Amino acid sequence: MKVGGNLSTETKDLERARQSLIEELEAVNWYQERVEVAENEDLKEILEHNRDEEKEHVAMLIEWLRENDQTQDKMFEEHD
């Protein structure tokens, strides 16, 4: 997704964070698939480590979104 045009800086940053979140979640899935089919245990450990780092990135982005999007933060607090 290309962010541009006449959008505010805030909107552009939120879009960048959301797109990055999507990409990090996709990376988690890709690594998990590779972990499950890897036969070499050393490779499997590396892939698990990489997957878990992507999960850390997901957490960091979610936290940033909560701090910078009041509605999103409210949804985390109030969803049922």
PDB file of all heavy atoms in Angstrom, residues 1 17-34 47 50-55 57-58 61:
ATOM      1  N   MET A   1       0.839  -1.167   0.000  1.00  0.00           N
ATOM      2  CA  MET A   1       0.000   0.000   0.000  1.00  0.00           C
ATOM      3  C   MET A   1       0.885   1.230   0.000  1.00  0.00           C
ATOM      4  O   MET A   1       1.787   1.359   0.808  1.00  0.00           O
ATOM      5  CB  MET A   1      -0.889  -0.008   1.245  1.00  0.00           C
ATOM      6  CG  MET A   1      -1.614   1.305   1.473  1.00  0.00           C
ATOM      7  SD  MET A   1      -2.553   1.364   3.013  1.00  0.00           S
ATOM      8  CE  MET A   1      -3.738   0.091   2.707  1.00  0.00           C
ATOM      9  N   ALA A  17       1.826   1.966  10.226  1.00  0.00           N
ATOM     10  CA  ALA A  17       1.843   1.017  11.345  1.00  0.00           C
ATOM     11  C   ALA A  17       0.921  -0.160  11.074  1.00  0.00           C
ATOM     12  O   ALA A  17       1.294  -1.319  11.316  1.00  0.00           O
ATOM     13  CB  ALA A  17       1.443   1.727  12.638  1.00  0.00           C
ATOM     14  N   ARG A  18      -0.278   0.109  10.557  1.00  0.00           N
ATOM     15  CA  ARG A  18      -1.220  -0.980  10.284  1.00  0.00           C
ATOM     16  C   ARG A  18      -0.690  -1.906   9.199  1.00  0.00           C
ATOM     17  O   ARG A  18      -0.811  -3.134   9.308  1.00  0.00           O
ATOM     18  CB  ARG A  18      -2.579  -0.408   9.890  1.00  0.00           C
ATOM     19  CG  ARG A  18      -3.284   0.284  11.036  1.00  0.00           C
ATOM     20  CD  ARG A  18      -4.622   0.851  10.602  1.00  0.00           C
ATOM     21  NE  ARG A  18      -5.202   1.664  11.649  1.00  0.00           N
ATOM     22  CZ  ARG A  18      -5.532   2.947  11.493  1.00  0.00           C
ATOM     23  NH1 ARG A  18      -5.376   3.562  10.328  1.00  0.00           N
ATOM     24  NH2 ARG A  18      -6.047   3.627  12.506  1.00  0.00           N
ATOM     25  N   GLN A  19      -0.122  -1.335   8.143  1.00  0.00           N
ATOM     26  CA  GLN A  19       0.436  -2.170   7.074  1.00  0.00           C
ATOM     27  C   GLN A  19       1.606  -2.997   7.598  1.00  0.00           C
ATOM     28  O   GLN A  19       1.736  -4.178   7.268  1.00  0.00           O
ATOM     29  CB  GLN A  19       0.875  -1.316   5.883  1.00  0.00           C
ATOM     30  CG  GLN A  19       1.334  -2.125   4.696  1.00  0.00           C
ATOM     31  CD  GLN A  19       0.255  -3.055   4.156  1.00  0.00           C
ATOM     32  OE1 GLN A  19      -0.915  -2.675   4.046  1.00  0.00           O
ATOM     33  NE2 GLN A  19       0.627  -4.281   3.839  1.00  0.00           N
ATOM     34  N   SER A  20       2.426  -2.391   8.432  1.00  0.00           N
ATOM     35  CA  SER A  20       3.541  -3.127   9.029  1.00  0.00           C
ATOM     36  C   SER A  20       3.028  -4.254   9.912  1.00  0.00           C
ATOM     37  O   SER A  20       3.598  -5.357   9.920  1.00  0.00           O
ATOM     38  CB  SER A  20       4.432  -2.181   9.835  1.00  0.00           C
ATOM     39  OG  SER A  20       5.066  -1.269   8.973  1.00  0.00           O
ATOM     40  N   LEU A  21       1.942  -4.021  10.635  1.00  0.00           N
ATOM     41  CA  LEU A  21       1.341  -5.054  11.480  1.00  0.00           C
ATOM     42  C   LEU A  21       0.880  -6.227  10.623  1.00  0.00           C
ATOM     43  O   LEU A  21       1.137  -7.393  10.946  1.00  0.00           O
ATOM     44  CB  LEU A  21       0.178  -4.475  12.282  1.00  0.00           C
ATOM     45  CG  LEU A  21      -0.580  -5.429  13.191  1.00  0.00           C
ATOM     46  CD1 LEU A  21       0.339  -6.081  14.211  1.00  0.00           C
ATOM     47  CD2 LEU A  21      -1.717  -4.675  13.882  1.00  0.00           C
ATOM     48  N   ILE A  22       0.228  -5.936   9.513  1.00  0.00           N
ATOM     49  CA  ILE A  22      -0.209  -6.986   8.592  1.00  0.00           C
ATOM     50  C   ILE A  22       0.998  -7.814   8.137  1.00  0.00           C
ATOM     51  O   ILE A  22       0.965  -9.050   8.152  1.00  0.00           O
ATOM     52  CB  ILE A  22      -0.925  -6.369   7.376  1.00  0.00           C
ATOM     53  CG1 ILE A  22      -2.282  -5.803   7.793  1.00  0.00           C
ATOM     54  CG2 ILE A  22      -1.080  -7.389   6.237  1.00  0.00           C
ATOM     55  CD1 ILE A  22      -2.917  -4.889   6.751  1.00  0.00           C
ATOM     56  N   GLU A  23       2.054  -7.135   7.749  1.00  0.00           N
ATOM     57  CA  GLU A  23       3.245  -7.822   7.246  1.00  0.00           C
ATOM     58  C   GLU A  23       3.923  -8.655   8.326  1.00  0.00           C
ATOM     59  O   GLU A  23       4.416  -9.765   8.053  1.00  0.00           O
ATOM     60  CB  GLU A  23       4.203  -6.802   6.642  1.00  0.00           C
ATOM     61  CG  GLU A  23       3.626  -6.167   5.380  1.00  0.00           C
ATOM     62  CD  GLU A  23       4.336  -4.902   4.941  1.00  0.00           C
ATOM     63  OE1 GLU A  23       5.311  -4.475   5.617  1.00  0.00           O
ATOM     64  OE2 GLU A  23       3.922  -4.328   3.920  1.00  0.00           O
ATOM     65  N   GLU A  24       3.949  -8.161   9.543  1.00  0.00           N
ATOM     66  CA  GLU A  24       4.554  -8.927  10.641  1.00  0.00           C
ATOM     67  C   GLU A  24       3.733 -10.180  10.931  1.00  0.00           C
ATOM     68  O   GLU A  24       4.296 -11.254  11.179  1.00  0.00           O
ATOM     69  CB  GLU A  24       4.687  -8.068  11.900  1.00  0.00           C
ATOM     70  CG  GLU A  24       5.619  -6.879  11.765  1.00  0.00           C
ATOM     71  CD  GLU A  24       7.085  -7.228  11.590  1.00  0.00           C
ATOM     72  OE1 GLU A  24       7.478  -8.400  11.750  1.00  0.00           O
ATOM     73  OE2 GLU A  24       7.858  -6.304  11.271  1.00  0.00           O
ATOM     74  N   LEU A  25       2.418 -10.057  10.916  1.00  0.00           N
ATOM     75  CA  LEU A  25       1.571 -11.233  11.145  1.00  0.00           C
ATOM     76  C   LEU A  25       1.739 -12.263  10.032  1.00  0.00           C
ATOM     77  O   LEU A  25       1.760 -13.474  10.297  1.00  0.00           O
ATOM     78  CB  LEU A  25       0.101 -10.809  11.281  1.00  0.00           C
ATOM     79  CG  LEU A  25      -0.235 -10.081  12.580  1.00  0.00           C
ATOM     80  CD1 LEU A  25      -1.613  -9.441  12.487  1.00  0.00           C
ATOM     81  CD2 LEU A  25      -0.154 -11.017  13.773  1.00  0.00           C
ATOM     82  N   GLU A  26       1.856 -11.789   8.802  1.00  0.00           N
ATOM     83  CA  GLU A  26       2.125 -12.714   7.700  1.00  0.00           C
ATOM     84  C   GLU A  26       3.455 -13.430   7.921  1.00  0.00           C
ATOM     85  O   GLU A  26       3.556 -14.644   7.688  1.00  0.00           O
ATOM     86  CB  GLU A  26       2.155 -11.967   6.366  1.00  0.00           C
ATOM     87  CG  GLU A  26       0.790 -11.518   5.900  1.00  0.00           C
ATOM     88  CD  GLU A  26       0.840 -10.677   4.636  1.00  0.00           C
ATOM     89  OE1 GLU A  26       1.908 -10.086   4.320  1.00  0.00           O
ATOM     90  OE2 GLU A  26      -0.193 -10.603   3.952  1.00  0.00           O
ATOM     91  N   ALA A  27       4.461 -12.701   8.379  1.00  0.00           N
ATOM     92  CA  ALA A  27       5.768 -13.309   8.630  1.00  0.00           C
ATOM     93  C   ALA A  27       5.677 -14.373   9.727  1.00  0.00           C
ATOM     94  O   ALA A  27       6.314 -15.427   9.621  1.00  0.00           O
ATOM     95  CB  ALA A  27       6.791 -12.235   8.998  1.00  0.00           C
ATOM     96  N   VAL A  28       4.883 -14.114  10.763  1.00  0.00           N
ATOM     97  CA  VAL A  28       4.682 -15.120  11.810  1.00  0.00           C
ATOM     98  C   VAL A  28       4.134 -16.403  11.187  1.00  0.00           C
ATOM     99  O   VAL A  28       4.616 -17.508  11.460  1.00  0.00           O
ATOM    100  CB  VAL A  28       3.732 -14.599  12.916  1.00  0.00           C
ATOM    101  CG1 VAL A  28       3.317 -15.729  13.856  1.00  0.00           C
ATOM    102  CG2 VAL A  28       4.371 -13.461  13.691  1.00  0.00           C
ATOM    103  N   ASN A  29       3.128 -16.257  10.330  1.00  0.00           N
ATOM    104  CA  ASN A  29       2.535 -17.434   9.681  1.00  0.00           C
ATOM    105  C   ASN A  29       3.543 -18.165   8.804  1.00  0.00           C
ATOM    106  O   ASN A  29       3.610 -19.393   8.827  1.00  0.00           O
ATOM    107  CB  ASN A  29       1.318 -17.031   8.847  1.00  0.00           C
ATOM    108  CG  ASN A  29       0.118 -16.716   9.703  1.00  0.00           C
ATOM    109  OD1 ASN A  29       0.044 -17.093  10.864  1.00  0.00           O
ATOM    110  ND2 ASN A  29      -0.837 -16.015   9.127  1.00  0.00           N
ATOM    111  N   TRP A  30       4.328 -17.427   8.029  1.00  0.00           N
ATOM    112  CA  TRP A  30       5.314 -18.061   7.155  1.00  0.00           C
ATOM    113  C   TRP A  30       6.336 -18.845   7.962  1.00  0.00           C
ATOM    114  O   TRP A  30       6.674 -19.980   7.629  1.00  0.00           O
ATOM    115  CB  TRP A  30       6.018 -17.021   6.286  1.00  0.00           C
ATOM    116  CG  TRP A  30       5.120 -16.356   5.290  1.00  0.00           C
ATOM    117  CD1 TRP A  30       4.014 -16.882   4.673  1.00  0.00           C
ATOM    118  CD2 TRP A  30       5.246 -15.022   4.803  1.00  0.00           C
ATOM    119  NE1 TRP A  30       3.454 -15.951   3.840  1.00  0.00           N
ATOM    120  CE2 TRP A  30       4.188 -14.802   3.888  1.00  0.00           C
ATOM    121  CE3 TRP A  30       6.146 -13.994   5.042  1.00  0.00           C
ATOM    122  CZ2 TRP A  30       4.019 -13.590   3.225  1.00  0.00           C
ATOM    123  CZ3 TRP A  30       5.975 -12.790   4.373  1.00  0.00           C
ATOM    124  CH2 TRP A  30       4.924 -12.602   3.476  1.00  0.00           C
ATOM    125  N   TYR A  31       6.841 -18.220   9.035  1.00  0.00           N
ATOM    126  CA  TYR A  31       7.816 -18.929   9.861  1.00  0.00           C
ATOM    127  C   TYR A  31       7.197 -20.155  10.512  1.00  0.00           C
ATOM    128  O   TYR A  31       7.832 -21.208  10.591  1.00  0.00           O
ATOM    129  CB  TYR A  31       8.423 -18.003  10.922  1.00  0.00           C
ATOM    130  CG  TYR A  31       9.542 -17.147  10.394  1.00  0.00           C
ATOM    131  CD1 TYR A  31       9.436 -15.760  10.365  1.00  0.00           C
ATOM    132  CD2 TYR A  31      10.725 -17.719   9.923  1.00  0.00           C
ATOM    133  CE1 TYR A  31      10.468 -14.969   9.871  1.00  0.00           C
ATOM    134  CE2 TYR A  31      11.760 -16.942   9.431  1.00  0.00           C
ATOM    135  CZ  TYR A  31      11.629 -15.566   9.412  1.00  0.00           C
ATOM    136  OH  TYR A  31      12.651 -14.798   8.917  1.00  0.00           O
ATOM    137  N   GLN A  32       5.963 -20.049  10.984  1.00  0.00           N
ATOM    138  CA  GLN A  32       5.317 -21.199  11.618  1.00  0.00           C
ATOM    139  C   GLN A  32       5.178 -22.352  10.639  1.00  0.00           C
ATOM    140  O   GLN A  32       5.422 -23.508  10.993  1.00  0.00           O
ATOM    141  CB  GLN A  32       3.945 -20.805  12.172  1.00  0.00           C
ATOM    142  CG  GLN A  32       3.247 -21.935  12.913  1.00  0.00           C
ATOM    143  CD  GLN A  32       4.044 -22.421  14.114  1.00  0.00           C
ATOM    144  OE1 GLN A  32       4.621 -21.629  14.845  1.00  0.00           O
ATOM    145  NE2 GLN A  32       4.071 -23.738  14.323  1.00  0.00           N
ATOM    146  N   GLU A  33       4.791 -22.045   9.408  1.00  0.00           N
ATOM    147  CA  GLU A  33       4.682 -23.102   8.396  1.00  0.00           C
ATOM    148  C   GLU A  33       6.035 -23.769   8.176  1.00  0.00           C
ATOM    149  O   GLU A  33       6.124 -25.003   8.071  1.00  0.00           O
ATOM    150  CB  GLU A  33       4.169 -22.519   7.080  1.00  0.00           C
ATOM    151  CG  GLU A  33       2.717 -22.101   7.145  1.00  0.00           C
ATOM    152  CD  GLU A  33       2.259 -21.378   5.885  1.00  0.00           C
ATOM    153  OE1 GLU A  33       2.986 -21.361   4.872  1.00  0.00           O
ATOM    154  OE2 GLU A  33       1.149 -20.806   5.923  1.00  0.00           O
ATOM    155  N   ARG A  34       7.089 -22.977   8.121  1.00  0.00           N
ATOM    156  CA  ARG A  34       8.427 -23.518   7.894  1.00  0.00           C
ATOM    157  C   ARG A  34       8.896 -24.348   9.076  1.00  0.00           C
ATOM    158  O   ARG A  34       9.563 -25.373   8.906  1.00  0.00           O
ATOM    159  CB  ARG A  34       9.401 -22.386   7.597  1.00  0.00           C
ATOM    160  CG  ARG A  34       9.099 -21.720   6.268  1.00  0.00           C
ATOM    161  CD  ARG A  34       9.885 -20.467   6.072  1.00  0.00           C
ATOM    162  NE  ARG A  34       9.416 -19.793   4.857  1.00  0.00           N
ATOM    163  CZ  ARG A  34       9.588 -18.515   4.616  1.00  0.00           C
ATOM    164  NH1 ARG A  34      10.233 -17.748   5.484  1.00  0.00           N
ATOM    165  NH2 ARG A  34       9.128 -17.973   3.509  1.00  0.00           N
ATOM    166  N   LEU A  47      14.279 -20.974  12.935  1.00  0.00           N
ATOM    167  CA  LEU A  47      12.989 -20.501  12.433  1.00  0.00           C
ATOM    168  C   LEU A  47      12.040 -20.149  13.574  1.00  0.00           C
ATOM    169  O   LEU A  47      11.299 -19.158  13.489  1.00  0.00           O
ATOM    170  CB  LEU A  47      12.365 -21.564  11.523  1.00  0.00           C
ATOM    171  CG  LEU A  47      13.137 -21.865  10.242  1.00  0.00           C
ATOM    172  CD1 LEU A  47      12.509 -23.060   9.518  1.00  0.00           C
ATOM    173  CD2 LEU A  47      13.223 -20.646   9.334  1.00  0.00           C
ATOM    174  N   ASN A  50      13.164 -16.803  14.870  1.00  0.00           N
ATOM    175  CA  ASN A  50      12.753 -15.736  13.960  1.00  0.00           C
ATOM    176  C   ASN A  50      11.255 -15.469  14.072  1.00  0.00           C
ATOM    177  O   ASN A  50      10.818 -14.309  14.086  1.00  0.00           O
ATOM    178  CB  ASN A  50      13.111 -16.096  12.518  1.00  0.00           C
ATOM    179  CG  ASN A  50      14.598 -16.088  12.279  1.00  0.00           C
ATOM    180  OD1 ASN A  50      15.382 -15.675  13.130  1.00  0.00           O
ATOM    181  ND2 ASN A  50      14.995 -16.564  11.124  1.00  0.00           N
ATOM    182  N   ARG A  51      10.443 -16.531  14.169  1.00  0.00           N
ATOM    183  CA  ARG A  51       8.995 -16.376  14.340  1.00  0.00           C
ATOM    184  C   ARG A  51       8.684 -15.577  15.593  1.00  0.00           C
ATOM    185  O   ARG A  51       7.860 -14.661  15.580  1.00  0.00           O
ATOM    186  CB  ARG A  51       8.347 -17.759  14.415  1.00  0.00           C
ATOM    187  CG  ARG A  51       6.835 -17.721  14.646  1.00  0.00           C
ATOM    188  CD  ARG A  51       6.327 -18.991  15.299  1.00  0.00           C
ATOM    189  NE  ARG A  51       7.033 -19.256  16.553  1.00  0.00           N
ATOM    190  CZ  ARG A  51       7.214 -20.469  17.065  1.00  0.00           C
ATOM    191  NH1 ARG A  51       6.768 -21.542  16.438  1.00  0.00           N
ATOM    192  NH2 ARG A  51       7.844 -20.618  18.219  1.00  0.00           N
ATOM    193  N   ASP A  52       9.365 -15.905  16.667  1.00  0.00           N
ATOM    194  CA  ASP A  52       9.092 -15.227  17.933  1.00  0.00           C
ATOM    195  C   ASP A  52       9.531 -13.764  17.905  1.00  0.00           C
ATOM    196  O   ASP A  52       8.899 -12.913  18.535  1.00  0.00           O
ATOM    197  CB  ASP A  52       9.731 -15.989  19.086  1.00  0.00           C
ATOM    198  CG  ASP A  52       9.071 -17.353  19.293  1.00  0.00           C
ATOM    199  OD1 ASP A  52       7.977 -17.594  18.748  1.00  0.00           O
ATOM    200  OD2 ASP A  52       9.671 -18.192  19.992  1.00  0.00           O
ATOM    201  N   GLU A  53      10.577 -13.454  17.155  1.00  0.00           N
ATOM    202  CA  GLU A  53      10.961 -12.051  16.990  1.00  0.00           C
ATOM    203  C   GLU A  53       9.878 -11.287  16.239  1.00  0.00           C
ATOM    204  O   GLU A  53       9.588 -10.131  16.562  1.00  0.00           O
ATOM    205  CB  GLU A  53      12.302 -11.936  16.261  1.00  0.00           C
ATOM    206  CG  GLU A  53      13.474 -12.220  17.152  1.00  0.00           C
ATOM    207  CD  GLU A  53      14.802 -11.836  16.517  1.00  0.00           C
ATOM    208  OE1 GLU A  53      14.841 -11.461  15.334  1.00  0.00           O
ATOM    209  OE2 GLU A  53      15.813 -11.916  17.234  1.00  0.00           O
ATOM    210  N   GLU A  54       9.276 -11.934  15.244  1.00  0.00           N
ATOM    211  CA  GLU A  54       8.175 -11.282  14.518  1.00  0.00           C
ATOM    212  C   GLU A  54       7.002 -11.031  15.466  1.00  0.00           C
ATOM    213  O   GLU A  54       6.335  -9.996  15.376  1.00  0.00           O
ATOM    214  CB  GLU A  54       7.729 -12.142  13.331  1.00  0.00           C
ATOM    215  CG  GLU A  54       8.796 -12.430  12.300  1.00  0.00           C
ATOM    216  CD  GLU A  54       9.397 -11.201  11.635  1.00  0.00           C
ATOM    217  OE1 GLU A  54       8.784 -10.125  11.668  1.00  0.00           O
ATOM    218  OE2 GLU A  54      10.487 -11.323  11.057  1.00  0.00           O
ATOM    219  N   LYS A  55       6.758 -11.944  16.384  1.00  0.00           N
ATOM    220  CA  LYS A  55       5.686 -11.746  17.362  1.00  0.00           C
ATOM    221  C   LYS A  55       5.985 -10.549  18.252  1.00  0.00           C
ATOM    222  O   LYS A  55       5.069  -9.807  18.640  1.00  0.00           O
ATOM    223  CB  LYS A  55       5.492 -13.009  18.211  1.00  0.00           C
ATOM    224  CG  LYS A  55       4.862 -14.141  17.439  1.00  0.00           C
ATOM    225  CD  LYS A  55       4.695 -15.367  18.327  1.00  0.00           C
ATOM    226  CE  LYS A  55       4.053 -16.495  17.561  1.00  0.00           C
ATOM    227  NZ  LYS A  55       3.823 -17.680  18.422  1.00  0.00           N
ATOM    228  N   HIS A  57       7.622  -7.936  17.263  1.00  0.00           N
ATOM    229  CA  HIS A  57       7.336  -6.778  16.417  1.00  0.00           C
ATOM    230  C   HIS A  57       5.840  -6.498  16.383  1.00  0.00           C
ATOM    231  O   HIS A  57       5.416  -5.335  16.405  1.00  0.00           O
ATOM    232  CB  HIS A  57       7.848  -7.008  14.997  1.00  0.00           C
ATOM    233  CG  HIS A  57       9.309  -7.253  14.921  1.00  0.00           C
ATOM    234  ND1 HIS A  57       9.899  -7.826  13.816  1.00  0.00           N
ATOM    235  CD2 HIS A  57      10.324  -7.026  15.800  1.00  0.00           C
ATOM    236  CE1 HIS A  57      11.199  -7.933  14.015  1.00  0.00           C
ATOM    237  NE2 HIS A  57      11.475  -7.462  15.219  1.00  0.00           N
ATOM    238  N   VAL A  58       5.025  -7.559  16.330  1.00  0.00           N
ATOM    239  CA  VAL A  58       3.566  -7.406  16.371  1.00  0.00           C
ATOM    240  C   VAL A  58       3.158  -6.692  17.646  1.00  0.00           C
ATOM    241  O   VAL A  58       2.377  -5.735  17.629  1.00  0.00           O
ATOM    242  CB  VAL A  58       2.864  -8.783  16.254  1.00  0.00           C
ATOM    243  CG1 VAL A  58       1.390  -8.675  16.620  1.00  0.00           C
ATOM    244  CG2 VAL A  58       3.037  -9.363  14.868  1.00  0.00           C
ATOM    245  N   LEU A  61       4.040  -2.980  17.568  1.00  0.00           N
ATOM    246  CA  LEU A  61       3.149  -2.204  16.709  1.00  0.00           C
ATOM    247  C   LEU A  61       1.772  -2.032  17.332  1.00  0.00           C
ATOM    248  O   LEU A  61       1.180  -0.953  17.259  1.00  0.00           O
ATOM    249  CB  LEU A  61       3.039  -2.860  15.330  1.00  0.00           C
ATOM    250  CG  LEU A  61       4.261  -2.676  14.438  1.00  0.00           C
ATOM    251  CD1 LEU A  61       4.263  -3.693  13.320  1.00  0.00           C
ATOM    252  CD2 LEU A  61       4.318  -1.244  13.899  1.00  0.00           C
TER     253      LEU A  61
END
